Amino acid sequence: MTKKSFAYLFLLPLAIFLYAVLQHYRVATLLDRAEYEQNILVKAEKIVNNNFTGSLEIEYQREGADKAERMYASSAQTEASLFLSQNKKALSVAKPMLYLSYGGLGLSLLFLLTNSALIALGYLGAKKGRRSQHDLVQAFDFCRTWLPFILAGQVLFLTLSVSCLIFYELTGWMSTAKDSGDILAGGYFFLLGIGYIVFIIWRLVKMLSKSFSLFQPEPKPVMGRNLTHDDAPALWARVERLALKLETITPDNIVAGLTENFYVTANPVRLNTGEILTGQTLYFSLPWAALLDEAEIDAVLGHELGHFSGKDTEYSLRFAPLYARFSSSIEAVFGLRKNAPGYMNVDFNTAMSSCNYVLGQFHDTVMYWRQRREHGADEMGAKVSTPLALSSSLLRIAALSNPVDEYLNEVYNARVMPDDVVAALLAHLQMSPLPDPQRYLENETAHPYDTHPSCKARIEALGCTTDEAAAIAARPVTGDAFAHLFLLVNDFKQLCRTLSAELTGEITQYRDNYKQSLETVLHRAAKETVIYARPKIAIGGALVFIFFLYVTVGGLFDPALKSSLDGEDYTYVCLLLGLAVISGLGLRRVIKVWKRGKQPVMVLRHGSISVHMLSAPVPLAALTGYVFFKTRRGLRIGFTYKEGYEPPPRTDNRWLTYTHCSSTEPFFYVTAYGKLRDASGAPVSQEQLAELLDTYLSASVAEHEIKDFQ
């Protein structure tokens, strides 16, 4: 657990609890004292009003005294009445304040217990998941069921406990308000409380809905064609035969495509035609099938179907897609309110710390089972073919991945537009020698939802030698290498042409849209944009100037000045000069702030950005990003820049030249004091400034990329 997570999950509720203890002590002390004074008052009244014949003195302990003293009952009565009258208003709201302090104590403890439950949930769930994949799925199911409610409980107990602390202080402040403002202030107080409760309910509903969406699998976009039994009867028969031999689930769908490697998924799949496939889907890669022989295809298909066998079925169908969705969506779900003030981000950071802790606990367990399940699937692939066929397919795919990806990138960038991508790919690969498969023994095969062990580890686990597998994998690519595919798919050639036409059509449309967006960026960045920061008048400087000017002028007409000069005593004159200097400093501050509003805080041009705090423009190509920081006086913009670039010296203060430069990372700050406006005087929001910066920063990249379209 990180220090930040520890602070939000434990130190924060502890701080709220301790402050609630302090509040309880304050109000309990007042109530105890009031009860004591009331008892004294009753006792004293009995003695004074009933002509008590005994001693007229009683014991009375003054507030703050170490011990009681004896005094006349009438005096004690006066002291008690005085205390109760002085604290009448405070005592009228003491009971509600006492209940608020109890609420702060109880809710902070519930907040702490909720966080402790989350820690236990993540730790014990991950520990249980080590026993078996079935236990891992059960533990994750339990976590995904209760995590949204725990997150909601965190927000509820955190906000309500803090609201108890705030309402306690507001109630105490209300008790000191004047009588004429009590009704109005009480109305505002009531409305504030109702609004805050409604706000909490809205936040909880929103968080619950978003938290549950973490575990809802989204359809995976796939470019391909859904092959029915009529489209590919031989392929379906082959897959069904392998599934029967392995005693695994037969996929509900087979999708043939050009852009990815073989894989199976239980996630919904959205094809480029708009069709959504549910159930288990096998992605059949036409380019890779053309580069493998029949034994290797059987081994690869057996490996993929092996993920639907035995205990691995539950992992593949339920856990892997949801875990991938959960791990990639945490920050997006919570809105990324990183630029909001810190006090507005407390519940956000607490929820983020919770999710990251649970994810971190499961991560090691997931990686452990990923290694185990891949070796198990390899055994299934070797079972329906041979260990050597699976080993050679692993190395052949690893060795040809870069050349295949390079050619497909040429297609994606419209440098080549073949009618048949598969045939063109094979022709392209025949023109150069196959890379040595031995160089790729440490490679890991990519997968949409999983990672794989290295080729070497998988080959050794199959009992094969890397030399033998590499020798088979190194066979050259031939033009008729995919002849066996004509038997698997009806009209295979037409299928390849159809998919190639769809791919090139999508690429053409995408590139046209992308080119248009680049031209739009360049057009916007061609104009110079000037941003001003209009600060408010320097109130402090103005007050200093007016006050000390008044004192100085008054001193000039003071008779003491003449007598001081007559007596050749210049102390008074020096004092007046000092006051005049201070007044001048106040005037200087006012003028400086006024001049600052007249000069641009930032000038954005195509290729560079100029800021008033730096002595020279900064090339946009040297910047890598920016981030906003809210400050009391305006907006601070932090720019990150490439390693090796040195920002220009600052000009705003010769004594603090590098005040805003970070010594640990390539980062410098620019501060805009006051509200941002453009050259026409129109206000510029933080979102609009971000859009402008994005436009100009991306213009240099757009200028380079648009050359590819020429």
Side-chain angles (χ1 to χ4, degrees):
M1 180 181 294
T2 64
K3 293 181 180 178
K4 184 177 180 180
S5 297
F6 181 79
Y8 279 108
L9 297 178
F10 290 103
L11 296 185
L12 178 60
L14 181 60
I16 296 173
F17 176 79
L18 293 177
Y19 192 80
V21 169
L22 176 62
Q23 289 183 333
H24 180 269
Y25 171 78
R26 284 157 50 191
V27 69
T29 302
L30 176 63
L31 287 172
D32 289 343
R33 185 66 193 182
E35 184 180 4
Y36 175 78
E37 298 288 358
Q38 190 65 41
N39 292 333
I40 290 294
L41 192 62
V42 172
K43 187 176 181 180
E45 285 179 349
K46 287 181 180 179
I47 295 175
V48 174
N49 297 333
N50 296 330
N51 298 319
F52 190 67
T53 57
S55 173
L56 298 179
E57 294 184 347
I58 61 173
E59 287 191 349
Y60 180 77
Q61 185 174 353
R62 299 179 185 274
E63 189 176 9
D66 294 332
K67 59 181 181 178
E69 60 179 286
R70 295 194 64 81
M71 64 170 59
Y72 286 108
S74 58
S75 299
Q77 185 181 25
T78 302
E79 292 281 351
S81 299
L82 180 62
F83 176 86
L84 293 174
S85 63
Q86 289 177 342
N87 294 277
K88 181 179 179 180
K89 280 191 171 183
L91 290 172
S92 67
V93 296
K95 282 292 184 181
M97 293 175 67
L98 180 66
Y99 297 141
L100 286 171
S101 67
Y102 283 138
L105 289 169
L107 290 167
S108 61
L109 287 177
L110 287 174
F111 181 34
L112 181 61
L113 289 175
T114 303
N115 295 342
S116 302
L118 181 134
I119 299 299
L121 183 70
Y123 175 77
L124 296 177
K127 186 176 181 181
K128 179 182 178 181
R130 281 271 182 171
R131 300 175 189 168
S132 67
Q133 293 186 56
H134 176 71
D135 288 334
L136 175 60
V137 173
Q138 279 194 331
F140 190 76
D141 271 345
F142 187 80
C143 284
R144 74 169 181 156
T145 300
W146 288 102
L147 183 59
F149 295 102
I150 292 179
L151 294 178
Q154 283 182 323
V155 175
L156 176 66
F157 298 138
L158 171 60
T159 51
L160 289 182
S161 60
V162 172
S163 67
C164 284
L165 304 186
I166 295 174
F167 286 170
Y168 176 100
E169 299 298 341
L170 285 175
T171 305
W173 174 79
M174 285 284 297
S175 67
T176 62
K178 296 181 179 180
D179 293 338
S180 59
D182 282 351
I183 298 178
L184 181 61
Y188 286 148
F189 181 76
F190 178 78
L191 291 177
L192 177 64
I194 295 298
Y196 193 74
I197 293 173
V198 172
F199 173 73
I200 291 174
I201 294 174
W202 175 77
R203 288 286 300 274
L204 287 176
V205 172
K206 190 175 180 181
M207 172 166 281
L208 275 173
S209 61
K210 286 188 174 183
S211 298
F212 280 116
S213 69
L214 281 171
F215 303 100
Q216 302 301 320
E218 291 185 343
K220 172 181 167 56
V222 174
M223 180 170 289
R225 178 64 57 87
N226 181 27
L227 298 180
T228 65
H229 286 75
D230 293 335
D231 296 329
L235 177 59
W236 271 101
R238 191 168 187 169
V239 171
E240 289 169 351
R241 174 176 56 81
L242 296 176
L244 182 64
K245 186 174 182 179
L246 294 174
E247 298 181 347
T248 67
I249 297 174
T250 302
D252 299 302
N253 316 290
I254 297 179
V255 174
L258 301 172
T259 57
E260 300 184 74
N261 206 337
F262 291 92
Y263 66 85
V264 289
T265 180
N267 245 14
V269 170
R270 180 186 289 110
L271 300 180
N272 55 296
T273 58
E275 182 183 3
I276 295 181
L277 305 178
T278 57
Q280 294 78 51
T281 299
L282 167 66
Y283 183 86
F284 190 81
S285 176
L286 298 181
W288 286 113
L291 293 169
L292 302 177
D293 61 27
E294 293 196 66
E296 290 171 335
I297 291 177
D298 279 348
V300 172
L301 291 177
H303 169 90
E304 297 301 338
L305 293 174
H307 288 305
F308 291 139
S309 65
K311 296 179 180 178
D312 207 18
T313 306
E314 196 174 21
Y315 183 100
S316 299
L317 292 180
R318 296 170 56 193
F319 179 80
L322 293 179
Y323 182 79
R325 162 77 172 151
F326 178 59
S327 60
S328 64
S329 303
I330 288 178
E331 291 193 358
V333 164
F334 287 99
L336 292 177
R337 295 179 291 134
K338 293 181 179 179
N339 291 326
Y343 63 87
M344 292 291 291
N345 262 349
V346 175
D347 58 342
F348 166 76
N349 290 328
T350 303
M352 283 295 299
S353 298
S354 303
C355 290
N356 286 328
Y357 176 80
V358 173
L359 185 64
Q361 290 296 308
F362 273 97
H363 178 72
D364 292 339
T365 304
V366 169
M367 295 306 297
Y368 168 77
W369 283 114
R370 280 178 175 174
Q371 301 288 327
R372 295 280 300 271
R373 66 192 295 270
E374 284 305 316
H375 289 305
D378 284 345
E379 292 177 5
M380 305 293 280
K383 180 179 179 181
V384 296
S385 183
T386 64
L388 188 57
L390 180 60
S391 300
S392 63
S393 69
L394 293 175
L395 276 182
R396 189 166 177 82
I397 291 174
L400 286 171
S401 287
N402 286 338
V404 170
D405 289 343
E406 289 172 1
Y407 182 77
L408 290 178
N409 283 331
E410 294 291 306
V411 176
Y412 299 151
N413 291 313
R415 297 190 182 98
V416 294
M417 300 186 71
D419 295 331
D420 184 341
V421 171
V422 176
L425 172 64
L426 295 182
H428 172 75
L429 294 177
Q430 293 177 62
M431 298 171 59
S432 56
L434 184 74
D436 182 9
Q438 294 274 11
R439 294 163 46 196
Y440 300 93
L441 288 171
E442 299 301 327
N443 276 32
E444 299 178 358
T445 307
H447 186 278
Y449 300 112
D450 253 327
T451 56
H452 294 71
S454 67
C455 292
K456 182 179 179 180
R458 297 172 69 179
I459 291 171
E460 290 176 348
L462 291 169
C464 299
T465 63
T466 56
D467 292 338
E468 190 177 8
I472 299 175
R475 66 184 183 275
V477 177
T478 60
D480 59 349
F482 61 103
H484 57 284
L485 296 181
F486 285 86
L487 303 176
L488 292 179
V489 181
N490 292 341
D491 206 351
F492 176 76
K493 195 74 174 177
Q494 182 59 39
L495 174 64
C496 292
R497 288 180 176 275
T498 301
L499 290 176
S500 299
E502 291 178 357
L503 177 61
T504 54
E506 292 276 351
I507 291 171
T508 301
Q509 182 179 357
Y510 170 79
R511 286 177 62 80
D512 289 342
N513 295 336
Y514 188 58
K515 181 182 179 181
Q516 186 176 358
S517 67
L518 293 178
E519 290 173 344
T520 302
V521 168
L522 290 174
H523 176 71
R524 291 179 179 175
K527 299 183 295 184
E528 181 179 274
T529 303
V530 183
I531 303 296
Y532 294 89
R534 307 289 191 190
K536 298 178 180 179
I537 185 172
I539 298 177
L543 291 176
V544 169
F545 168 68
I546 294 173
F547 176 77
F548 284 97
L549 179 64
Y550 172 78
V551 174
T552 303
V553 172
L556 292 176
F557 295 96
D558 194 328
L561 176 61
K562 184 177 180 182
S563 61
S564 176
L565 293 174
D566 292 342
E568 297 184 353
D569 183 4
Y570 298 105
T571 304
Y572 190 79
V573 176
C574 292
L575 177 61
L576 289 180
L577 289 174
L579 294 175
V581 169
I582 296 176
S583 178
L585 292 175
L587 178 61
R588 178 177 178 270
R589 176 63 180 171
V590 173
I591 295 173
K592 183 178 180 180
V593 171
W594 178 76
K595 287 183 175 180
R596 180 190 293 160
K598 293 295 182 181
Q599 70 175 132
V601 69
M602 183 183 303
V603 180
L604 295 166
R605 302 183 185 90
H606 179 58
S608 68
I609 176 174
S610 299
V611 294
H612 72 281
M613 294 181 177
L614 299 180
S615 60
V618 177
L620 290 174
L623 301 179
T624 58
Y626 63 91
V627 64
F628 293 137
F629 301 93
K630 287 284 189 181
T631 66
R632 183 175 59 86
R633 293 185 292 174
L635 180 68
R636 178 173 292 176
I637 310 165
F639 290 97
T640 55
Y641 53 89
K642 296 178 181 178
E643 188 175 355
Y645 174 74
E646 185 67 27
R650 297 179 65 89
T651 59
D652 56 329
N653 193 319
R654 62 195 180 97
W655 302 109
L656 301 174
T657 306
Y658 298 106
T659 301
H660 293 156
C661 290
S662 171
S663 59
T664 58
E665 58 179 340
F667 204 93
F668 69 88
Y669 297 99
V670 175
T671 305
Y673 299 101
K675 295 184 177 180
L676 300 177
R677 298 186 181 274
D678 61 16
S680 65
V684 177
S685 66
Q686 180 176 318
E687 291 74 18
Q688 290 172 324
L689 179 60
E691 185 177 352
L692 284 171
L693 289 173
D694 289 337
T695 298
Y696 282 89
L697 285 172
S698 57
S700 58
V701 179
E703 188 175 25
H704 174 73
E705 290 187 353
I706 206 168
K707 293 178 181 178
D708 293 338
F709 293 89
Q710 304 301 329

